[in-house]
Amino acid sequence: MPELPEVEVTRLSLRPGLEGARVRGVRLGKALRWPLVWPDAQGAGRLQEALVGPLGRRGKYLWLPLEAAPGRPTAGGLLLHLGMSGALRFWSTGQAPEAGPHDHFDLLTDRGVLRLHDPRRFGAVLWSGSLDEEPASALLARLGPEPWDPGLDDARFHAVLKARRSPIKSVLLSGEAVVGAGNIYACEALFESGIHPAARACTLSRPRAAKLLAAVRRILQRAIELGGSTLRDFSNAHGMDGEFQTQAQVYGRAGLPCPRCGAAIRRVVQGQRATYFCGACQKR
DNA sequence: AGTTAAACCTGGTTGC
DNA sequence: TGCAACCAGGTTTAAC
């Protein structure tokens, strides 16, 4: 589910309740994608007094810094990923219901409980000393630039595409050229820029690459403003659903008329993922 | 080296 | 109604 907009919506909605909260402990459910390697006994002791610092995001990862004390160096933090079906929710003290069978992680604080709900368990919660150390650094090292990274310009984006012979849809999903667009938003951005999903990335002209990058930025921004997409499991820290799915032009609309030209939206499979597009509007 | 498939896991929907 | 087959937002790992 959660692509960059959903993670950003989660981050923004968690901030008021969580930042500045003091950690009291954790509750673990079933194992996630990777086991949570908690700090040793000494580190765990420090955590008892840790304060939640400013929440960060890199790609689809959420970074929850745990500071030893106000003004002192960061003790470490948690790197969280929502996988395919994860959602984070914050419950004020006394409001949290009993953990259900799909609630696999609770961070207990003096203000309330941060809870990860993830039926498919493709999500992850990892302890890391910092973003520059293992295990966080190894995961983040693979990521391409953020959509709004000032260092990401049309030339750089185009250069990455030039080096890839795979279909542009697959290259977008890989996050090499720009992170954040998952299956829904990759489909939508390609539609909005009029580019056929099967076009080989290396064949796109620089103007078309620029158009695609602009579309990716626009789509992701719009999705954040709409609270993300809720197909099934996703909701923000307060349990509110997103609304972008109601505005999708092609995603999940196979057989329905293209909003631009009226031709039937097509569904094909690329790299084991469904792709939706208009065969008339989107050109190779 | 680059590209593509398989794997992780559960639950909802579809079709016989 | 029952049950098998297929589908789903992501990413890593293994295999051509």
Side-chain angles (χ1 to χ4, degrees):
Chain A
M1 143 215 323
E3 307 180 31
L4 182 148
E6 288 72 27
V7 179
E8 181 65 6
V9 165
T10 297
R11 184 182 79 86
L12 294 172
S13 58
L14 280 176
R15 291 189 64 180
L18 202 54
E19 288 182 2
R22 190 174 293 275
V23 174
R24 298 295 190 212
V26 298
R27 183 199 62 81
L28 302 180
K30 289 182 183 173
L32 294 167
R33 178 143 45 110
W34 294 290
L36 172 62
V37 181
W38 205 244
D40 56 22
Q42 189 181 357
R46 282 202 314 249
L47 273 184
Q48 287 297 318
E49 295 303 317
L51 290 171
V52 177
L55 300 182
R57 180 191 57 72
R58 178 74 176 94
K60 300 169 189 172
Y61 288 91
L62 193 65
W63 173 243
L64 192 153
L66 295 172
E67 300 171 350
R72 292 173 58 187
T74 299
L78 294 172
L79 191 68
L80 299 103
H81 197 289
L82 301 179
M84 292 274 262
S85 58
L88 284 164
R89 190 150 177 191
F90 185 77
W91 301 89
S92 297
T93 303
Q95 301 297 306
E98 193 162 346
H102 301 306
D103 295 326
H104 304 303
F105 177 80
D106 284 352
L107 183 71
L108 313 171
T109 79
D110 60 343
R111 296 190 190 168
V113 179
L114 171 68
R115 174 168 292 170
L116 175 66
H117 177 85
D118 184 8
R120 290 177 73 182
R121 287 194 279 141
F122 285 174
V125 179
L126 290 169
W127 166 263
S128 194
S130 77
L131 290 175
D132 300 321
E133 320 170 27
E134 300 274 359
S137 59
L139 296 170
L140 301 184
R142 311 168 199 260
L143 303 182
E146 287 289 317
W148 300 283
D149 179 343
L152 174 60
D153 56 17
D154 296 344
R156 183 174 165 192
F157 185 69
H158 186 228
V160 175
L161 299 191
K162 271 287 175 194
R164 298 295 310 276
R165 298 175 53 80
S166 302
I168 182 62
K169 160 74 175 346
S170 301
V171 173
L172 272 182
L173 285 188
S174 78
E176 269 184 80
V178 62
V179 295
N183 211 33
I184 297 175
Y185 303 123
C187 289
E188 294 297 314
L190 286 167
F191 173 76
E192 196 163 299
S193 50
I195 296 170
H196 196 292
R200 291 179 185 275
C202 57
T203 66
L204 292 188
S205 66
R206 178 157 160 181
R208 296 189 87 204
K211 201 171 176 184
L212 176 57
L213 177 57
V216 167
R217 287 172 165 152
R218 210 159 45 234
I219 291 282
L220 295 179
Q221 182 62 45
R222 193 181 309 154
I224 291 169
E225 289 163 5
L226 287 170
S229 297
T230 298
L231 298 192
R232 177 162 298 153
D233 302 301
F234 177 75
S235 62
N236 71 14
H238 314 300
M240 295 166 60
D241 289 350
E243 294 179 1
F244 183 92
Q245 71 282 358
T246 66
Q247 318 240 326
Q249 308 284 291
V250 291
Y251 182 83
R253 303 181 59 79
L256 297 173
C258 165
R260 190 179 294 150
C261 78
I265 301 294
R266 295 175 54 197
R267 176 188 186 277
V268 297
V269 174
Q270 294 178 296
Q272 310 174 103
R273 308 299 300 278
T275 297
Y276 299 87
F277 69 106
C278 173
C281 290
Q282 295 174 248
K283 313 288 189 190
R284 290 173 188 269

